[in-house]
Amino acid sequence: MPKTRFVDVRRFESIDSTNRYLLDEARAGAPEGVVAVADHQTAGRGRLGRTWEAPPGANLLVSMLLRPAIGSGERHLATTTVALAALDAIGVVDPSAAREISIKWPNDLVERSGRKLAGILAESDLVSVGAAEGLPPPVVVGIGINVNWPATDADLPPELLGLAVSLRQIVGDPVDRDALLHAFLRSLESRVVDLDSLEGRARLAEELASRCSTIGTRVRVDLSDGSFEGTATGISPDGHLVVATGEATRTVVAGDVVHVRPGL
Ligand code: BTN
C-alpha cells in the first residue's frame, strides 16, 4: 500500500461520538490523519443537530481528522473527498452495488430510490490549540455507512421505513466492514491530496457533479431563514449547488436539500 496519512487508526468498542473524540484530540494538537472507528456510538451526531443511531457491531462509524491548508470557503470540499472515497470503497467491495448509489447534495449517499445509505458530518474548530503550533485548523469529517443494518426493512423503526437502506440490502449479502474501511482509507488518501491545489479542488467539484443525483431534480432548499424551490442545474467549480428558480439562478452554499418528486 502506498504511503498514507491514515495510519493512526483508533478503535473503540463503544464511545459517545467519534467526531467528538477527534475534535477534542484536535484541540489538544493532534496531527492530520488520526482516524477513530467505533463499533457503537452512544451519542452519535448527525447534521443539523440530529442524532445518528446504529446498533452495535453492524455499521461503519468512522471519523477522520483533516487539516487542509485551504480557506474556510473551501473546507466543505473535505466532505466531498469523504463522499467520493466512500463511493470508491463501495465500488471495490461490490462494483454493481456502487452503480446503484449516488451523492445527494451536499453529502448523503443514497440508492436509486432515494433511500439513505450514508451520512457525513463535518465539524470544524477554527480556534484550536494546533493553530498556535502552526497547524492548519482541523476539520473532523465523520461518516456513518449503513453496512449490515438494517438486514431487512423489518429491522427499521417505522419512521425510517422507506428512508434508510443498508449496503447488505443492496448487495444481497453481509458486507465485511473492515474490508470497506480499508478500501475507504486508501481511496481517501488519494482524494485528500486534491484539496491542496486549485486544479484538484476543481476535479473534486467535477466528480461531485458527475456522481450527484440532485442535479436535474426538483428541489426544496431549506435555509436557516426560509426555503425556496427550484431545479438543481449543476455544481459550481467550488462545490456549491446551483438551483434555477424560474426567476433567478441561486447558488446554495449550505442548507438542507429535499428532492421533491413531481406530483407529490
Ligand atoms: C447525517 O446527519 O447524515 C450525518 C451523520 C454522520 C454520522 C457519523 S457516524 C461517525 C461520526 N461520528 C458522529 O458522531 N457522527 C458521524
Side-chain angles (χ1 to χ4, degrees):
M1 182 162 166
K3 202 165 170 288
T4 168
R5 71 199 78 193
F6 301 109
V7 284
D8 185 356
V9 180
R10 304 181 189 175
R11 291 177 182 270
F12 299 88
E13 200 175 305
S14 181
I15 192 170
D16 52 350
S17 156
T18 52
N19 265 33
R20 192 282 307 155
Y21 169 78
L22 283 186
L23 276 171
D24 282 353
E25 289 297 292
R27 284 186 194 109
E32 172 164 84
V34 182
V35 177
V37 195
D39 261 349
H40 186 230
Q41 294 184 127
T42 54
R45 301 177 182 176
R47 289 181 65 230
L48 306 169
R50 298 176 189 132
T51 56
W52 186 263
E53 299 191 19
N59 291 350
L60 188 56
L61 308 166
V62 57
S63 300
M64 292 67 56
L65 170 53
L66 303 176
R67 291 183 180 274
I70 51 179
S72 56
E74 292 166 320
R75 294 169 73 78
H76 62 280
L77 286 173
T79 317
T80 303
T81 65
V82 170
L84 291 171
L87 277 176
D88 294 341
I90 292 166
V92 169
V93 167
D94 189 311
S96 66
R99 288 193 283 277
E100 300 296 310
I101 299 160
S102 62
I103 300 173
K104 173 176 172 281
W105 191 91
N107 44 44
D108 283 348
L109 298 191
V110 296
E111 53 82 89
R112 238 174 245 282
S113 69
R115 290 180 297 173
K116 181 161 166 169
L117 175 73
I120 299 174
L121 174 67
E123 297 184 88
S124 290
D125 184 354
L126 298 176
V127 286
S128 79
V129 172
E133 291 145 22
L135 290 173
V139 52
V140 170
V141 189
I143 181 167
I145 306 180
N146 298 335
V147 180
N148 289 313
W149 180 91
T152 70
D153 279 356
D155 292 342
L156 287 172
E159 66 274 15
L160 288 182
L161 207 55
L163 298 179
V165 70
S166 70
L167 199 50
R168 174 182 180 153
Q169 286 179 291
I170 298 170
V171 169
D173 273 313
V175 173
D176 182 336
R177 283 184 303 162
D178 268 340
L180 188 66
L181 176 63
H182 184 77
F184 168 69
L185 292 178
R186 199 182 165 111
S187 165
L188 188 60
E189 175 60 35
S190 59
R191 298 278 187 189
V192 160
V193 171
D194 272 347
L195 290 172
D196 294 340
S197 69
L198 200 60
E199 310 82 70
R201 294 194 288 276
R203 194 159 42 236
L204 286 170
E206 265 167 40
E207 280 225 46
L208 170 60
S210 75
R211 307 297 304 263
C212 181
S213 51
T214 305
I215 296 170
T217 307
R218 185 91 192 144
V219 292
R220 191 187 73 232
V221 181
D222 293 332
L223 304 169
S224 53
D225 56 352
S227 66
F228 68 91
E229 276 197 28
T231 302
T233 55
I235 301 287
S236 69
D238 44 11
H240 299 140
L241 186 68
V242 181
V243 179
T245 63
E247 295 117 40
T249 299
R250 297 180 63 165
T251 301
V252 185
V253 174
D256 212 19
V257 167
V258 180
H259 290 188
V260 183
R261 293 194 193 119
L264 290 184

